Every structure is written in structure tokens, then in C-alpha cells.
Amino acid sequence: MLELEVVPERSLGCEQWEFILGMHFSQSVAIIQSQVGIIRGVQVLYSDTVFVLNFRGLSFYFPIDSKFQPGYAHGLGSLRFSNGASPLVAKTAIYVGNNVATGTAGGGEEHSPKTSPPPLPLVCYHNNLYLDKAEVIRDKVRTRGLKLHLFTEGGSATRVLLEPKKHRFTKEVWFGDSCEDVLSALGAPSRVFFKAEDKMRIHSPHAHKRDKTRRSDFFYNYFTLGLDVLFDAKTQWVKKFVLHTNYPGHYNFNMYHRCEFTLNLPPETIGASDSGKLIDVSPSPVTITAYTKWDRVSEQLKASARPVVLNRASSTNTTNPFGCTFCYGVRDVIVEVMANQHIASVTLYETA
């Protein structure tokens, strides 16, 4: 049996490990995996609406038979039980704010907690780089790069171990940046991934010819930023950015942290004069974030009518329990959409 210490408004754990409020899900999973001989059963529950309850404070729940509830007017001591026994705690909640109950937003259509999630605790930084938010930099017609608001553990050079604190800074990465430019801005990636041969090349009239250079495009994977950077094999310049939302029910769930991005795209120009020329009505841009539902913005953007169906599977396990996703093209952006209309990823590429 596990014996754990409960710290109200902070954590649940023991001398070897602890779950801390604000800890990322992947860190919690790593703790559970390290305790495989002790923690023998784990259930992870989620719904397609991705409803999250954030905790702080402390509450205890006692199972009380309904026939005793009317007498519960002056606290737990006023309850009376036929056998004289006292109720036992059935559930404990550590939560954020003063009320563990949830409320509704948007006229009751969407459920959301009354409390806000705590920030990632400093003890969970582990000297990694994290993303606060990402702004997609665009001119009138195309994407140019990303402005990343980052944070990590910092402090004075002599007292960093005694007084660690959150250090914030901003970096920009652009299409055409070299590997050295990206490394200078973001540091070493979590992993370098080399792309396999493009399967679509089999339709090329020159598919029988072997590539003499045997070069391959490659990714810098930044898992704690929710970001991939793709470099061209020949020039080694940035040619794509991939932003991940890390929603449950996606094939890559728990591989990346969520990329809190903001992408503003101009909607299709509407209206025409008698002469046939388009009228410039300066419509408001359509804003896409990690929380945008695709069905709410697709009509404004006039995305590709027929999406590309993407069904991921590994070489060892060809089944994908989460099903396929759908990729829509909008200008110089590819939006990967899940069956529940949540956006799984956004790919930004440089047009010719």
C-alpha cells in the first residue's frame, strides 16, 4: 500500500517522488513508469471535449447514504449512523483556488473550471527551455518566421543554486535560417530526426534514378517547446515549422508539450463591384490558436475542400487506436485536424 504525504495547495508524494500541481503530464507519466514495481494499476481517463480540472487547496469526500443527508446541517458531527460507525474518506482532491467545483462558460455550452491552472513549478524545470507563447510572423501574403516567448530556470551566476528563479526572454527564428542560427536561438534540440525517402517520389518519371547525393531533410525536434524545425538537406536552411497542440487522442500525444501559438490569417476577400473587381473591405483576420475548433474557422478561410487523410502507424504495431486525422491546406499552412475538430498540428512552409 502506498503511503503518501499530502501538501495542501502543492503536491502529493513521498521521499522518492511527488506529483506537483502544475507539473506537465509527461513528467507525471515518467514518475509512474519509474515506480512500475510499486504502482501496479493506473487509469488515464479523458473525453473528446478535453475537459481538464485543475487542483489546489484540499478537500475530503465522504460517502454518505442519501437517507442521512437531511440531518447534515451543523457539520459532520451532526450526522447519525445506525451502527455508530464514522464515515471513511473515499476521495481527496488537491486543487487550485477556493472551490473545487466547476462552472460553465459560454451560456452553458462548454464546461470549464472556475480556477486557473498554476504555472509550471520551478522544481520541474530541470534546466530545460519552455515556451510561454509563439507568434507566427507574417507579411501581407506569406509566413516569414516565428517569434518565441521562452522561459527557463535562471538567476545570478553565483547564487543560481540558492535562489533559482524564472528567466524570460524572446527569440526569433525565420525561414532561411541556418542550423547554427537555430542552435544559437533555441539551443540543442531534444532529438534530430532524418526524414525517410519521400514515398510520393514513386510517381515521378525519374523515380528509377538513384539520388547520387543520398541526402535527407532533417528535423530539429524541440519537445518542451512543442515545435519541430525542418531543414533542407542541400542548403541546411529552415524550410518548415511544425507546431503541436498535444491533445489526448492523437497519435503523438505526450511526446510534445503544447505549443501555445497564435496565427492570424486573412479571410477570403468577399464582395465584387459591377465592373468585376474585388472590393477591398479590409476584413478582420481569422485567428487560429491551439484551442481553435477547425469547423469554426474553415468556412472563413476557404480551405481545401477534400483533405488528405493521414493515418499514422509504427513499424512494430500497424494499428492506430486513435484513428486517422485530416490535413487541410490554407495558403502556406497545413492544418492537421482530429475527428473531434481539435487542431492537432499546424505546419508552416515557405512558398516559392
Side-chain angles (χ1 to χ4, degrees):
M1 183 177 68
L2 286 174
E3 294 185 2
L4 304 177
E5 179 183 3
V6 175
V7 181
E9 302 188 30
R10 185 185 185 278
S11 64
L12 170 71
C14 58
E15 293 183 357
Q16 290 75 30
W17 53 267
E18 62 178 343
F19 297 115
I20 305 174
L21 298 179
M23 172 184 287
H24 192 265
F25 180 73
S26 61
Q27 295 178 334
S28 302
V29 172
I31 291 175
I32 294 173
Q33 290 174 332
S34 69
Q35 303 296 313
V36 65
I38 301 174
I39 304 177
R40 301 184 181 277
V42 177
Q43 274 189 317
V44 179
L45 305 177
Y46 76 95
S47 68
D48 287 342
T49 57
V50 196
F51 172 72
V52 181
L53 177 61
N54 304 288
F55 296 106
R56 187 181 169 185
L58 184 64
S59 296
F60 295 98
Y61 296 83
F62 299 87
I64 304 297
D65 193 288
S66 59
K67 64 182 179 181
F68 298 115
Q69 290 182 4
Y72 185 51
H74 304 288
L76 191 61
S78 66
L79 291 173
R80 297 292 183 267
F81 300 91
S82 57
N83 58 3
S86 299
L88 300 177
V89 176
K91 182 172 64 174
T92 301
I94 306 172
Y95 55 92
V96 172
N98 299 320
N99 190 350
V100 70
T102 58
T104 58
E109 297 179 358
E110 296 182 0
H111 294 273
S112 62
K114 291 181 178 179
T115 58
S116 59
L120 183 70
L122 193 63
V123 296
C124 296
Y125 283 14
H126 303 305
N127 293 317
N128 288 319
L129 189 66
Y130 296 94
L131 178 69
D132 190 17
K133 63 178 179 178
E135 302 175 33
V136 179
I137 304 174
R138 289 180 56 87
D139 58 19
K140 293 183 178 180
V141 295
R142 66 184 65 183
T143 302
R144 295 298 186 182
L146 294 173
K147 183 176 183 180
L148 304 175
H149 300 263
L150 307 166
F151 65 92
T152 187
E153 184 177 345
S156 61
T158 58
R159 306 185 66 183
V160 64
L161 296 179
L162 298 178
E163 296 182 0
K165 61 181 180 180
K166 190 173 185 177
H167 175 58
R168 299 177 182 269
F169 55 97
T170 302
K171 295 290 184 178
E172 294 180 354
V173 286
W174 305 84
F175 286 123
D177 277 356
S178 66
C179 296
E180 292 77 11
D181 294 331
V182 176
L183 289 172
S184 177
L186 305 180
S190 306
R191 187 182 69 177
V192 178
F193 177 77
F194 291 86
K195 288 183 63 177
E197 183 177 0
D198 190 351
K199 295 181 181 179
M200 295 303 293
R201 289 181 183 176
I202 62 175
H203 303 291
S204 170
H206 305 290
H208 64 282
K209 296 183 179 179
R210 298 179 63 88
D211 186 359
K212 297 181 180 179
T213 60
R214 291 183 176 272
R215 291 172 174 168
S216 174
D217 293 349
F218 57 96
F219 284 99
Y220 277 3
N221 304 127
Y222 291 93
F223 295 143
T224 58
L225 305 182
L227 170 68
D228 293 330
V229 183
L230 178 65
F231 294 90
D232 181 79
K234 184 177 180 180
T235 63
Q236 297 191 356
W237 293 344
V238 174
K239 60 188 294 186
K240 283 184 182 180
F241 298 104
V242 184
L243 316 178
H244 300 271
T245 62
N246 193 42
Y247 272 107
H250 188 260
Y251 185 79
N252 289 333
F253 175 66
N254 199 39
M255 180 179 293
Y256 296 86
H257 288 218
R258 176 169 293 163
C259 181
E260 302 279 355
F261 64 86
T262 301
L263 169 62
N264 292 315
L265 291 174
E268 286 291 324
T269 305
I270 56 176
S273 62
D274 294 337
S275 62
K277 295 183 180 180
L278 295 176
I279 299 175
D280 184 12
V281 294
S282 300
S284 300
V286 178
T287 300
I288 300 176
T289 71
Y291 308 96
T292 301
K293 288 289 193 73
W294 178 244
D295 54 357
R296 298 182 181 179
V297 298
S298 57
E299 284 298 323
Q300 297 173 269
L301 297 174
K302 301 297 181 183
S304 53
R306 299 184 62 182
V308 174
V309 179
L310 180 61
N311 192 5
R312 293 179 173 87
S314 65
S315 57
T316 57
N317 184 6
T318 58
T319 61
N320 180 358
F322 303 112
C324 59
T325 55
F326 307 90
C327 298
Y328 296 87
V330 183
R331 299 169 181 81
D332 56 355
V333 177
I334 299 174
V335 183
E336 181 189 359
V337 182
M338 301 168 62
N340 59 8
Q341 294 299 308
H342 277 290
I343 294 174
S345 69
V346 171
T347 299
L348 313 171
Y349 61 92
E350 188 175 26
T351 56

